Amino acid sequence: MQILAADFTVRGMDELDIRLFLRLADLLHFGQAAQAENIAQSALSARIKALEARLGAQLFERSTRTVALTAPGRAFVPEATALLAQIRRSEQAVRRTATQTYRSLKIGGVDSALSGPIPGLVKAFVSDRPNVHITLTEMLSHQTDPALVARRVDIGFLRYAPADPGIESLLLKAEGMSVAMPEDHPLTRKAALTAGDIVAHPLVLQSRAQRPILHDCVRRYIEAAGHDFSIEQEANERHMLLSLVAAGLGLTLVPDWVTMFNREGVVYRDLEDGGPQLDTVMAWRADDPLEPVHDFVAAVRGRFEDRPPD
């Protein structure tokens, strides 16, 4: 039996009915469920019976010792969960509109920023401003730049400063790169490597179509050291790139932040000269009328501006 959310909203079911059902479905004990919901056990039992009557299906099998979900009850759990979430989202939307103090802040950016200090800054920022709702979206730099201009995002974190005169930017840090290699690779015996070490072995790299800034940065680094740039194999996504490394098909260069994540079969080594540098830049529209945008920029400035780049 399939019970759809659209069906039970019509049948007069309210939030309490749904919440009580889900609590009992989780605990499978009338006494414990009643205590958790601060309701009399008899009242809980009555609400569940009334709910079953409205739905025309028995949701629980009861005995003197056990409570169990029936097949319709099991089918109802995901539907009830989805409806309860929708009710709460609707209530929040109404409250935000009523107070007229709710603000939305859309942030897009590269993975290094969104995996590094930015989540902590967002958490601290929101804790002081509960009326600000922030969405974080991972975007490549060449996607974030036009999204800022088109006002699809309010703040962007990129690998370069946008050229549009209406966009302001702040360099947050310059990040080095490390070498990722198979755990049994002969270069693991060295504590730090050179560009010459890299080109002496097959190189796998993210495709230029997917990550043009990183790709070109590695190419310039190798060519500046006087070596030919040659790639054995390319991958679109970083997890696939590290899978190629783990499979022994080559080594690669990754931004230093990637070394925080363990990947079975892969080890990391520093480059003697720090390797090629990748910038992380915060950008925003100078004329943005949203107060939270400028508040967030000020918070990030306070964290980064007086500190020398990494």
Side-chain angles (χ1 to χ4, degrees), residues 116-127 134 157 172 296 299-304:
I118 300 308
L121 283 167
V122 167
K123 183 177 181 180
F125 185 81
V126 172
S127 68
I134 293 183
F157 293 91
L172 301 183
F296 188 84
V300 176
R301 281 187 186 277
R303 169 69 171 79
F304 285 95

Side-chain angles (χ1 to χ4, degrees), residues 16 19-20 23-24 27 29-45 47:
L16 180 59
R19 198 175 73 238
L20 293 177
R23 181 71 73 177
L24 184 56
L27 297 176
H29 191 287
F30 274 88
Q32 293 176 8
Q35 184 177 10
E37 291 296 327
N38 196 26
I39 187 174
Q41 184 172 333
S42 58
L44 170 63
S45 181
R47 297 284 301 216

Side-chain angles (χ1 to χ4, degrees), residues 166-280:
I167 304 296
E168 292 190 9
S169 62
L170 172 68
L171 174 64
L172 301 183
K173 65 176 182 176
E175 181 181 21
M177 299 188 74
S178 300
V179 181
M181 67 186 73
E183 61 184 359
D184 58 353
H185 197 281
L187 285 179
T188 59
R189 293 190 292 267
K190 298 186 67 173
L193 308 177
T194 66
D197 293 326
I198 297 170
V199 298
H201 300 273
L203 178 67
V204 297
L205 200 62
Q206 286 188 293
S207 67
R208 191 177 190 283
Q210 183 72 12
R211 299 274 181 166
I213 295 174
L214 185 147
H215 186 102
D216 289 348
C217 189
V218 173
R219 175 181 55 78
R220 288 192 298 268
Y221 172 72
I222 291 175
E223 291 178 347
H227 304 288
D228 292 332
F229 177 69
S230 177
I231 300 174
E232 183 76 13
Q233 193 169 342
E234 292 186 343
N236 283 337
E237 300 297 338
R238 184 168 288 116
H239 70 271
M240 184 60 191
L241 185 69
L242 293 178
S243 294
L244 295 176
V245 173
L249 299 181
L251 48 80
T252 192
L253 274 72
V254 296
D256 284 342
W257 72 269
V258 177
T259 63
M260 296 187 301
F261 304 100
N262 293 326
R263 171 63 166 84
E264 186 177 355
V266 176
V267 295
Y268 301 97
R269 290 293 182 270
D270 294 334
L271 287 158
E272 286 185 357
D273 56 4
Q277 299 291 297
L278 292 167
D279 290 341
T280 299

Side-chain angles (χ1 to χ4, degrees), residues 60-79:
F60 296 95
E61 291 181 353
R62 308 156 175 87
S63 72
T64 55
R65 296 187 175 213
T66 62
V67 176
L69 282 163
T70 62
R74 289 192 296 272
F76 188 40
V77 168
E79 297 289 348

